[in-house]
Amino acid sequence: MGKKNEKRMDHITWDEYFMGVAILSGMRSKDPNSQVGACIVSQDNKILSMGYNGFPIGCSDDEFPWAREGDPLDTKYLYVTHSELNAILNYRGGSLEGAKLYVSLFPCNECAKAIIQAGIKTIIYAEDKYAQTPSVVASKRMLDAAGVRYYKYSRTDREICFRV
Ligand SMILES: [Zn+2]
């Protein structure tokens, strides 16, 4: 009976909330092989920006290539903007100093540079499947040198359902 006045205890955590938003953002990507999403959050847990991997504005998803192999000019790599960089560039509010970045895949070296320069101090990532590549090794080397903290998102068993 008295339970009516007690708060709900099974609410999602901040990490579940923001990683959920990052993953949801990744679902917007048109990339047939890789969907990565990012969500930037202030130190007091306000969402500041979001992003996913895609081509820059004006570069058509139908005209630019999504291929991973072949002539470099016909692959996506020279054109795609990663989710972390898009989230940083999408932010129009001023400084990201001290912010946290939630991202579904560990940032590459190029994104690490942007993260460091933007003043982001914490990274929470869901996957690190390219940990052995020079790009991610270099990324961690720079993040460590710059004092950017990173930790792996700990998955919960909670089923998060978007159906309404
Ligand atoms: Zn990147």
Side-chain angles (χ1 to χ4, degrees), residues 82 84 107-108 110-111:
H82 286 173
E84 306 92 306
C108 73
E110 291 298 328
C111 290

Side-chain angles (χ1 to χ4, degrees), residues 82 84 101 103 105-116 123 125 128 130-150:
H82 286 173
E84 306 92 306
L101 172 81
V103 61
L105 182 63
F106 199 95
C108 73
N109 63 307
E110 291 298 328
C111 290
K113 296 173 193 175
I115 289 164
I116 292 165
I123 298 168
Y125 61 94
D128 192 11
Y130 299 120
Q132 308 307 321
T133 64
S135 168
V136 173
V137 172
S139 172
K140 287 175 184 167
R141 189 174 173 182
M142 289 186 281
L143 295 170
D144 289 342
V148 176
R149 195 169 77 94
Y150 47 86

Side-chain angles (χ1 to χ4, degrees), residues 84-99:
E84 306 92 306
L85 185 58
N86 266 330
I88 289 169
L89 297 172
N90 286 342
Y91 183 59
R92 303 294 159 83
S95 174
L96 290 172
E97 195 69 44

Side-chain angles (χ1 to χ4, degrees), residues 28-55:
R28 280 281 307 156
S29 179
K30 318 298 186 304
D31 190 324
N33 296 297
S34 159
Q35 300 83 40
V36 182
C39 176
I40 301 176
V41 176
S42 68
Q43 291 176 65
D44 61 341
N45 295 317
K46 306 283 195 296
I47 292 177
L48 300 175
S49 190
M50 286 163 282
Y52 55 87
N53 55 310
F55 298 132

